[in-house]
Amino acid sequence: KTAVVTGGASGIGAATARRLTAEGARVAICDLDMERALQVASEVGGEAFQMDVTDGGSVRDAVSAAEEALGGATVLVNNAGTDEFGFFTYTTPEQWQRVIAINLVGVLNCTHAALPAMQQAGYGRILSISSEAGRVGSKGSAVYSAAKGGIVAFMKAIARENARYGITANSIAPGPIETPLLMGAKEFGEIGEKVIETMKSATQLGRLGQPEEVAAAAAFLVSDDATYITGETLGVSGGL
């Protein structure tokens, strides 16, 4: 299989690229940060492509280049995401637009670009990384929660529309995972540290998850062992 992984230069995306490569896939690491994408591509023997998920043209160009280099993409992992921490009343419309553009519109752009080849092939796996915040809400991440909840609903609709083509569409809802995005909360000082500790204590396992634990679930959902699973959301959250 050829897999396109967005936000593949770090965190969950890089871990997923490594896991899918180990499972035998040809992997396209797509990211805005080309330097880090090239590092991951070199590590796993894949290819790196610069992609701005908020720009439909950039997405189409990257997916087209990936398919030309590696073969038709039959797996898409929508992983690129970001957040802007802060209580909603203190955020701005500009922040909302950025968070929604990357987390939700990015998924729409990438799915729209990848679906035609999958429909033509009569086979495909689409997996989007949502968040438990999208299912239960997260204090200090209201707009992020809204965007991630939108992903869950969008994947359910895509699953219904594309089952006749042999395409499945699912989501993963990670809890607090030790990624650069989450650990970036420390930049906010004591408040950020408190947020991370609160997240840890909210899980039943009492710890942060690792990107590799999400990647393991991702590898399963895009594999042929998951042929009868579509429209579902799998929590990888330590019992959050």
Side-chain angles (χ1 to χ4, degrees):
K1 298 180 176 67
T2 294
V4 171
V5 180
T6 73
S10 66
I12 293 170
T16 300
R18 295 186 190 102
R19 181 60 183 257
L20 295 184
T21 299
E23 299 279 344
R26 299 178 296 274
V27 180
I29 294 93
C30 298
D31 204 288
L32 197 57
D33 187 339
M34 194 60 175
E35 182 178 350
R36 291 169 70 179
L38 284 166
Q39 290 175 356
V40 176
S42 175
E43 176 189 338
V44 304
E47 297 280 347
F49 302 90
Q50 192 164 45
M51 177 190 286
D52 177 354
V53 297
T54 69
D55 182 334
S58 172
V59 169
R60 289 190 295 273
D61 288 347
V63 170
S64 178
E67 291 180 338
E68 183 175 343
L70 300 173
T74 52
V75 173
L76 170 65
V77 180
N78 288 309
N79 167 74
T82 192
D83 193 9
E84 304 243 357
F85 297 101
F87 286 106
F88 182 66
T89 51
Y90 297 105
T91 60
T92 66
E94 290 75 23
Q95 289 176 302
W96 311 340
Q97 289 166 9
R98 172 176 162 77
V99 170
I100 292 170
I102 294 174
N103 290 291
L104 181 56
V105 177
V107 172
L108 306 186
N109 282 334
C110 295
T111 304
H112 194 263
L115 266 175
M118 293 183 186
Q119 291 174 344
Q120 186 172 5
Y123 178 91
R125 299 283 181 266
I126 301 175
L127 176 66
S128 294
I129 306 302
S130 177
S131 170
E132 288 292 12
R135 301 205 287 183
V136 302
S138 179
K139 188 163 60 175
S141 295
V143 179
Y144 175 84
S145 299
K148 290 298 189 178
I151 289 174
V152 170
F154 178 64
M155 283 293 98
K156 289 180 179 295
I158 292 300
R160 291 181 182 277
E161 290 185 3
N162 290 277
R164 59 186 172 138
Y165 297 108
I167 298 169
T168 65
N170 294 290
S171 304
I172 288 177
I177 308 297
E178 194 172 344
T179 63
L181 176 62
L182 178 60
M183 304 317 289
K186 291 183 177 181
E187 295 177 7
F188 294 89
E190 185 179 344
I191 293 176
E193 295 276 4
K194 189 172 182 180
V195 166
I196 293 173
E197 287 305 312
T198 299
M199 288 182 172
K200 285 169 63 175
S201 63
T203 70
Q204 298 305 308
L205 297 180
R207 65 173 176 86
L208 298 180
Q210 295 303 308
E212 291 74 18
E213 293 174 301
V214 182
F220 166 66
L221 285 173
V222 302
S223 76
D224 288 340
D225 288 331
T227 52
Y228 203 54
I229 301 173
T230 192
E232 298 295 341
T233 303
L234 174 63
V236 182
S237 60
L240 181 66

